[in-house]
Structure formats: structure tokens, C-alpha cells
Amino acid sequence: LNGYVEVLTEKDVGTTFRICIPLTLAIIQALMVEVSGTKYAIPLSPIEETLKVSKQEINNITGQDVIVIRDRICPLFELNSLLGNRYNGHDEDESDHKYIVVIALGDKRFCIAVDKLLGQEEVVIKTLDGIDTTSSNVLGATITGDGKVVFILDVTGMSRNLLGAGKG
């Protein structure tokens, strides 16, 4: 965490342990999801809801997948595609449903399809040096309780890239 621990001992008085953690460290609530066997974290604040939908509820309008949620058409994107992964091992899966994460940022709304919803966790954001987070749709990373590195997705950047290009 790039912090430090101080141990101050004074004879016949006692010992003080001081743990210092950088202020740049942020803890956020995140929804843990999985695609193609890889875990990702999505910040909870822009998530409006999660849904389990049948594949028949997904329509395609001029090459764009969409889903109707309460009489409102929302564009639907596969998380694998957004991250530039070619492999999507669950396309031909025997299941007839998908899990959808509905993202709402201001008046913009879009959906992300994932294989599994794993639950909510508090995560520590660690910035990534040497990675262009703007083009990779990654905000940072976190280390889970089992020691694995999980990327935290930048849904605000995704919104700009996916929906902002055609808007004025």
C-alpha cells in the first residue's frame, strides 16, 4: 500500500504502533462480476440495477444489441468486447440467459452483459502505472482476499467511448 509502520518505545511508559497509509488510497463499494473465467470489479455508484434476462429478450437494431427495460431501449455491450477480448467462451453455452448490469450516468444509460454476478465487496483502488487507463476501460486494480489481482472497470470512460462519440 506504500505506507509504513512506526514503532515508538519509551522505557517504563509503553510502546506506540503507528500505521500510516497514503491519502491517495480509496476504498469503494464494487460489484464483482465474471466473464470467461476472469473476475472484474465494477464501482457500485453508477449501477442502477442488475438483471437476469433470457437471450430472447435481447434484440439487434442495425448491428447494436439492445434490451428493453421498463419501456426504455438501452444499448447492450458484452464485457468481453469492451475489454478487447476475442474469446467469449459462453456465447455457445447451454444456458438461455445472461446477467445484465445496468449503468446510469446522468441521462445516459447502457447495459453490460456478464457471465456471473459474484456479489458486492469493499475494494481498495490501486492505480496502475504504465497502463493507458483511458483506452483500456480500466480504472485501477485491487487485490482480493484470496490474493488475486482484479481490474476495476472505468464505466464513466466506457460511457464516453460508447455513447459520447455520437452526442453533441
Side-chain angles (χ1 to χ4, degrees), residues 88-144:
N88 193 353
H90 295 277
D91 264 356
E92 297 169 357
D93 197 0
E94 67 276 354
S95 71
D96 61 345
H97 66 272
K98 286 187 174 280
Y99 292 99
I100 307 296
V101 180
V102 181
I103 306 293
L105 294 161
D107 62 341
K108 295 179 182 178
R109 199 167 257 91
F110 67 100
C111 301
I112 300 172
V114 299
D115 296 338
K116 292 180 186 173
L117 300 174
L118 302 175
Q120 181 180 329
E121 287 184 26
E122 281 189 343
V123 298
V124 177
I125 299 177
K126 182 72 176 148
T127 56
L128 300 171
D129 294 330
I131 292 180
D132 180 10
T133 55
T134 312
S135 65
S136 66
N137 293 321
V138 172
L139 190 61
T142 189
I143 299 174
T144 61

Side-chain angles (χ1 to χ4, degrees), residues 35-50:
V35 278
S36 300
T38 304
K39 284 185 185 180
Y40 296 95
I42 302 174
L44 206 55
S45 57
I47 295 176
E48 187 171 80
E49 64 183 312
T50 58

Side-chain angles (χ1 to χ4, degrees), residues 4-155:
Y4 59 91
V5 177
E6 286 182 351
V7 181
L8 305 170
T9 303
E10 208 171 314
K11 187 176 181 180
D12 297 327
V13 174
T15 302
T16 302
F17 295 90
R18 184 179 304 161
I19 301 172
C20 296
I21 300 173
L23 289 177
T24 56
L25 199 61
I27 298 174
I28 61 164
Q29 292 284 325
L31 175 67
M32 304 301 281
V33 300
E34 185 177 304
V35 278
S36 300
T38 304
K39 284 185 185 180
Y40 296 95
I42 302 174
L44 206 55
S45 57
I47 295 176
E48 187 171 80
E49 64 183 312
T50 58
L51 305 166
K52 181 179 179 181
V53 300
S54 71
K55 290 183 181 178
Q56 289 76 30
E57 294 178 69
I58 299 170
N59 300 300
N60 192 295
I61 300 175
T62 63
Q64 172 63 59
D65 283 343
V66 296
I67 187 165
V68 178
I69 302 171
R70 282 179 280 295
D71 298 324
R72 197 167 172 186
I73 298 173
C74 293
L76 173 65
F77 302 94
E78 291 283 340
L79 185 54
N80 265 336
S81 300
L82 294 177
L83 298 174
N85 298 341
R86 294 199 197 293
Y87 170 71
N88 193 353
H90 295 277
D91 264 356
E92 297 169 357
D93 197 0
E94 67 276 354
S95 71
D96 61 345
H97 66 272
K98 286 187 174 280
Y99 292 99
I100 307 296
V101 180
V102 181
I103 306 293
L105 294 161
D107 62 341
K108 295 179 182 178
R109 199 167 257 91
F110 67 100
C111 301
I112 300 172
V114 299
D115 296 338
K116 292 180 186 173
L117 300 174
L118 302 175
Q120 181 180 329
E121 287 184 26
E122 281 189 343
V123 298
V124 177
I125 299 177
K126 182 72 176 148
T127 56
L128 300 171
D129 294 330
I131 292 180
D132 180 10
T133 55
T134 312
S135 65
S136 66
N137 293 321
V138 172
L139 190 61
T142 189
I143 299 174
T144 61
D146 58 1
K148 293 186 176 141
V149 175
V150 171
F151 288 118
I152 302 167
L153 303 178
D154 179 10
V155 290

